[in-house]
Amino acid sequence: MTGENKHFRSAAPYSGEGLRRSVVAKKSLGQNFLVDDNIARKIVRSACIEKDDFVVEIGPGKGALTRFLLPTGARIEAIEKDTALFRLLREDFTESERLSFVNGDFLDYEFPAGHSLVKILGNIPYNLTSRIVSKIVDERQYVDSAVLMVQDEVAVRLAAGAGTKDYGSISVRLNLVADVTKLFLVSPSCFRPRPKVNSRVIKIVFRTREGIEREDEFVDFVKRAFGMRRKMFRHFVAHYYGKDSIDLLEEKYRTSRIETMAPEEIYRLFSILEHNVRSI
Ligand code: SAH
């Protein structure tokens, strides 16, 4: 123990094996525990947390990040799905008005209303990345920013811009409302057990928290359009809205593909098409 915070009860130094050797990592819950303190510090620093912030940590595990969150002085709520880990966390840390653990699924988590915007932090289960990111985007009215450790390959997709091979529906959805920055790479050797893939920390900062008109329909539209990404956009439009709607597209969009269009352009075209269809 480095003595960095008094809320952390264990007297034993933080070993690379994690605090409890008896806890077997559950693959189904995406458990790869971070065992590199320098990386943990760097992740917490990237979140720019201040004393008055409300931080939501996704999947604290054995507390690798939580330990370094405490000295920020912020209010921390950490959501852990694994009941065995949740119990250990409550033993290892002292809960207070500044720190609480919730035994639950982040996907069902209700963000605190009436608070300032929350800062989200997490080394998240990789199998849930899209669902976690979608939830954060859906509920961005409560969120300032999110610093997440994800699979490197997924980080590239989340941050991808138009015209790149990694650009897809999730890139459009996210980049329409947020700035996504790829921060640093984290090698498998920083975890126990070691994941098979490289990881990367990303930061999502929302530019706007307002809902956009017909957002659910837009999400569906974008998913389906990327399902036909190799075809020209007009084919998708004909298929989705009917042949006549192609006339609504400006000339330049008749021969282009969705994968070359910026998120704002895609949304603009969607609005035009939707308004027209609804006014028939
Ligand atoms: N943050 C810790 C643990 C990372 S492993 C560290 O860096 O060491 C991912 C963690 O997320 C595990 O503790 C796992 O039990 C937890 N988890 C998995 N699914 C979850 C969910 N749906 N909601 C909240 N926590 C979840």
Side-chain angles (χ1 to χ4, degrees):
M1 183 62 206
T2 55
E4 281 185 75
N5 65 71
K6 61 180 186 308
H7 291 268
F8 194 68
R9 258 191 219 142
S10 173
Y14 189 61
S15 74
E17 301 300 312
L19 289 165
R20 309 281 172 143
R21 282 157 219 264
S22 59
V23 177
V24 176
K26 298 184 181 78
K27 225 176 167 179
S28 62
L29 288 175
Q31 293 179 352
N32 296 98
F33 301 106
L34 187 64
V35 294
D36 185 316
D37 281 356
N38 287 327
I39 299 286
R41 275 196 203 93
K42 219 166 143 184
I43 293 173
V44 171
R45 257 203 316 271
S46 310
C48 304
I49 293 163
E50 288 166 28
K51 203 171 165 297
D52 295 330
D53 285 332
F54 191 109
V55 179
V56 174
E57 186 185 351
I58 307 171
K62 301 179 187 179
L65 299 176
T66 322
R67 294 190 316 134
F68 295 104
L69 275 172
L70 284 170
T72 63
R75 163 91 180 83
I76 302 156
E77 190 152 77
I79 325 301
E80 176 54 61
K81 186 169 178 186
D82 185 336
T83 306
L85 286 177
F86 166 73
R87 293 208 181 106
L88 292 182
L89 286 161
R90 293 185 95 179
E91 284 175 21
D92 290 335
F93 291 83
T94 310
E95 286 185 289
S96 67
E97 69 284 352
R98 289 206 297 111
L99 173 67
S100 49
F101 294 101
V102 176
N103 187 199
D105 187 331
F106 173 73
L107 297 173
D108 301 326
Y109 178 69
E110 282 184 32
F111 287 103
H115 252 284
S116 56
L117 298 172
V118 306
K119 291 185 178 166
I120 298 175
L121 191 97
N123 167 15
I124 61 176
Y126 293 170
N127 53 343
L128 291 184
T129 306
S130 317
R131 293 180 66 194
I132 288 175
V133 170
S134 294
K135 176 180 167 79
I136 295 172
V137 177
D138 285 343
E139 298 182 36
R140 63 185 180 276
Q141 70 196 93
Y142 303 111
V143 182
D144 171 81
S145 53
V147 169
L148 304 174
M149 172 113 71
V150 300
Q151 194 178 327
D152 184 35
E153 207 178 283
V154 177
V156 172
R157 255 189 275 147
L158 293 173
T164 63
K165 72 173 176 22
D166 298 295
Y167 190 53
S169 57
I170 188 105
S171 339
V172 172
R173 174 94 212 278
L174 192 54
N175 289 281
L176 187 64
V177 292
D179 292 320
V180 185
T181 318
K182 285 185 285 168
L183 302 177
F184 44 93
L185 258 181
V186 183
S187 110
S189 64
C190 299
F191 302 87
R192 295 290 180 278
R194 294 173 190 220
K196 291 199 176 68
V197 291
N198 279 325
S199 302
R200 186 181 289 276
V201 177
I202 59 161
K203 184 163 186 174
I204 299 170
V205 180
F206 288 104
R207 280 194 306 273
T208 166
R209 286 171 194 85
E210 303 212 341
I212 54 178
E213 208 187 328
R214 295 178 75 75
E215 190 155 345
D216 292 344
E217 289 82 356
F218 178 62
V219 170
D220 183 66
F221 170 91
V222 174
K223 274 193 193 144
R224 287 169 192 269
F226 273 92
M228 293 174 65
R229 65 188 294 154
R230 300 274 160 239
K231 299 228 168 90
M232 280 181 199
F233 183 60
R234 70 164 194 273
H235 293 306
F236 163 71
V237 170
H239 169 78
Y240 202 72
Y241 290 106
K243 237 176 165 176
D244 294 345
S245 53
I246 296 179
D247 298 339
L248 295 165
L249 298 175
E250 294 142 64
E251 195 64 41
K252 64 174 176 173
Y253 294 117
R254 304 217 177 147
T255 52
S256 49
R257 296 190 163 89
I258 184 119
E259 56 192 6
T260 62
M261 301 178 196
E264 294 74 17
E265 267 180 302
I266 299 174
Y267 185 72
R268 193 173 60 78
L269 296 176
F270 163 79
S271 298
I272 294 170
L273 291 160
E274 282 281 308
H275 277 119
N276 184 65
V277 169
R278 280 191 293 155
S279 61
I280 294 172

